[in-house]
Amino acid sequence: MHTDTERCVRAVRSKDARFDGWFFTAVLTTRIYCRPSCPVVPPKPENMVFYPSAAACQQAGFRACKRCRPDTSPGSPEWNARADAVARAMRLIRDGVVDREGVPGLAARLGYSTRQIERQLLAELGAGPLALARAQRAQTARLLIETTGLPLADVAFAAGFASVRTFNDTVREVFALSPSELRARAARVTGGDTGAGATGPGRTRGAGGTGDGRGAGRAPGTPGVIALRLPYRSPLNPDNLFGHLAATAVPGVEEWRDGAYRRTLALPHGHGIVALTPRPDHIACRLSLTDPRDLTLAISRCRWLLDLDADPVAVDDQLRTDPLLAPLIDKAPGRRVPRTVDAAEFAVRAVLGQQVSTAAARTHAARLVTAHGTPVDDPEGGLTHLFPDPEALAALDSEALALPRSRRTTLTTLIGALAGGSLRLGPGSDWDEARARLAALPGFGPWTVEVIAMRALGDPDAFLPTDLGVRRAAAGLGLPSTPAALTARAAAWRPWRAYAVQYLWATDTHPVNHLPV
């Protein structure tokens, strides 16, 4: 979009928050870059230059605006809606692959050479993988500087910097302040408490912002807990999103408590517990981590879980063109696709849920967790374990599972493929290749493959025409109810058929479609 100058200028002049994250505005006279919804007076059009990423702005010598905090914009919805190499690379960078495995690791996961990946990212985003990862590290550093009492040297390594010097240089270059100046400035804004208040002086209007400028803070009286606000584009309907997560929660791993969805997180350097609460203009997020180096990844996975980088206006406008879907969208716009924090975990749970009730699926999963999950402490709730990874599940005794023999074969074959590496599911997966590999496993029919594509891989066009709930909803609306006819009708909904499924499911009174009381 950044190449459409006229459209970008209109968005900046109208301070349209829907475009936050789609592009960034760099001002030639001030050498500052902003999000489109920045509350300051827009510069003259001839002084604006538009970039597709914050990293490209930084690489061109611009620093982040202190008022609108462009580094905290929602991510571009484009990377979750595309299946090409650039979109897969962006999802992997957001998931921390470059920090953990370097550019060669990123390229290997995508099946390209490092030169090919660098060239493609530079052509489309104006920055290579190292610059994109650096921009993400800078954002994490600012969050830790402003919202925790960690010594600045510890912040440097927690944010992923290789040295304190690189950390100091990057923060000064991106934010025009040294780390200590950034912390002192945040303390002045919050009345002297580094960890309990605002991270920016200006109000960030629109759902793309942080609501009232308070990006994050330490939870009062709770050592080690970081509280922050996850921005999103309006509208967001929390009913089916949180309802689904709460109704299908695996005991010990997930729970609904005091208006929040809580779960454990398995992370590269340790583990964490997150509590996510829907608010009118943001998602309140409380993170407890055993190692602060996992902060960036934990935030990324929470955003992915709740589909917060979606563009609901684009989705709903497309689906509303079908006159039979339009009333559902007008009644409750902004539905998201409830996803997962771990694709392998969801695949296992999808098999456990084949042809059984939600309650039975939770029971089966809870037994696996108790037998093979890693125990954790949860002082604030009832969480007890991490969901076991494929390597841990590889040791399970299939004969001990209270499942039909065919289902046991399906589950153990899946676990073997995941543990052995012949099947890799995650943000960098090629959606078509993953579908083909899943379909080749015994017991994987179209429904299981598509629900994994929808919720674990994030394909916005995944579709479930054989799902009983979808067929019932379709018949009730006057849509075709047979799988073939419904698929033909749904061609007009592409590339957002996964969202159409959410609207169809929401016509039912099942608890997954409602916030728990």
Side-chain angles (χ1 to χ4, degrees):
M1 178 181 173
H2 72 286
T3 58
D4 189 340
T5 301
E6 184 177 344
R7 189 180 182 194
C8 289
V9 169
R10 287 200 305 269
V12 172
R13 283 178 165 173
S14 61
K15 306 185 190 303
D16 196 332
R18 293 176 302 169
F19 294 101
D20 286 353
W22 275 103
F23 70 90
F24 295 84
T25 307
V27 185
L28 296 173
T29 52
T30 62
R31 306 302 295 176
I32 291 173
Y33 73 94
C34 304
R35 61 171 80 196
S37 64
C38 184
V40 302
V41 177
K44 296 178 180 179
E46 58 266 28
N47 292 328
M48 299 183 200
V49 180
F50 303 106
Y51 289 93
S53 66
C57 294
Q58 294 167 18
Q59 201 157 325
F62 295 90
R63 60 180 176 82
C65 175
K66 298 173 185 176
R67 184 78 182 274
C68 71
R69 294 288 302 277
D71 53 309
T72 62
S73 295
S76 171
E78 193 170 6
W79 312 130
N80 290 345
R82 288 166 42 181
D84 57 83
V86 170
R88 291 165 58 206
M90 288 300 294
R91 292 196 289 270
L92 285 169
I93 292 170
R94 186 173 55 196
D95 205 51
V97 167
V98 171
D99 289 334
R100 296 193 302 272
E101 303 174 20
V103 179
L106 173 68
R109 284 176 176 255
L110 296 170
Y112 289 87
S113 70
T114 56
R115 181 170 295 183
Q116 287 173 313
I117 289 300
E118 288 172 345
R119 184 168 58 245
Q120 291 183 56
L121 288 172
L122 191 61
E124 186 158 347
L125 285 155
L130 288 176
L132 292 163
R134 174 180 177 267
Q136 184 164 274
R137 285 194 296 274
Q139 180 180 345
T140 301
R142 181 170 191 165
L143 183 64
L144 291 171
I145 289 167
E146 295 183 333
T147 66
T148 77
L150 283 174
L152 293 178
D154 293 346
V155 169
F157 295 111
F161 289 95
S163 70
V164 174
R165 180 176 180 176
T166 303
F167 160 70
N168 287 331
D169 291 345
T170 298
V171 170
R172 187 180 292 276
E173 180 182 337
V174 174
F175 304 114
L177 293 170
S178 69
S180 58
E181 290 170 337
L182 202 58
R183 176 164 282 179
R185 181 175 180 272
R188 287 196 300 273
V189 171
T190 62
D193 183 355
T194 304
T199 58
R203 180 179 180 84
T204 306
R205 295 181 174 86
T210 53
D212 61 0
R214 294 186 301 162
R218 270 189 314 201
T222 312
V225 174
I226 296 175
L228 60 150
R229 297 179 173 217
L230 304 181
Y232 56 77
R233 295 175 182 83
S234 286
L236 181 144
N237 188 317
D239 293 358
N240 73 299
L241 181 59
F242 284 89
H244 202 117
L245 295 173
T248 61
V250 176
V253 175
E254 305 166 285
E255 68 176 0
W256 181 266
R257 181 182 291 266
D258 298 330
Y261 166 75
R262 304 178 74 247
R263 73 154 292 150
T264 58
L265 302 171
L267 300 163
H269 300 101
H271 69 267
I273 292 176
V274 65
L276 299 163
T277 307
R279 302 296 189 201
D281 61 353
H282 67 279
I283 301 297
C285 174
R286 284 170 51 88
L287 273 169
S288 174
L289 302 174
T290 57
D291 193 315
R293 288 177 294 177
D294 289 321
L295 177 62
T296 300
L297 179 58
I299 293 173
S300 174
R301 290 191 176 173
C302 290
R303 294 191 64 80
W304 175 261
L305 170 72
L306 301 180
D307 195 15
L308 296 186
D309 290 324
D311 184 350
V313 174
V315 172
D316 289 354
D317 283 352
Q318 175 71 19
L319 298 182
R320 199 179 275 113
T321 60
D322 189 315
L324 297 182
L325 282 184
L328 300 182
I329 296 159
D330 292 339
K331 179 181 178 181
R335 294 196 182 276
R336 301 299 209 271
V337 177
R339 293 184 182 153
T340 179
V341 296
D342 186 287
E345 172 191 318
F346 183 82
V348 170
R349 291 171 61 173
V351 171
L352 294 175
Q354 287 178 333
Q355 300 177 350
V356 298
S357 67
T358 299
R362 296 176 68 221
T363 298
H364 291 317
R367 289 171 181 164
L368 282 187
V369 166
T370 301
H372 301 280
T374 302
V376 300
D377 293 325
D378 177 21
E380 297 186 349
L383 303 181
T384 59
H385 289 80
L386 300 176
F387 196 92
D389 61 24
E391 289 73 20
L393 290 175
L396 67 82
D397 178 9
S398 63
E399 296 299 321
L401 298 174
L403 297 171
R405 181 170 298 276
S406 61
R407 192 85 42 76
R408 294 203 298 267
T409 300
T410 300
L411 181 62
T412 55
T413 305
L414 169 67
I415 290 169
L418 291 168
S422 61
L423 175 64
R424 298 185 71 171
L425 302 177
S429 295
D430 180 296
W431 294 336
D432 291 336
E433 179 184 344
R435 279 183 169 92
R437 289 183 180 272
L438 287 168
L441 299 176
F444 274 78
W447 185 91
T448 306
V449 171
E450 286 301 301
V451 79
I452 291 173
M454 176 190 296
R455 295 195 55 200
L457 304 183
D459 183 352
D461 203 37
F463 192 49
L464 305 171
T466 62
D467 181 84
L468 182 59
V470 169
R471 295 177 63 187
R472 284 176 176 170
L477 293 172
L479 291 163
S481 58
T482 62
L486 184 58
T487 299
R489 174 65 174 259
W493 306 342
R494 305 190 76 168
W496 309 118
R497 292 183 300 176
Y499 294 88
V501 169
Q502 307 308 313
Y503 282 104
L504 292 171
W505 273 341
T507 61
D508 193 84
T509 57
H510 193 283
V512 298
N513 296 314
H514 307 284
L515 279 175
V517 293

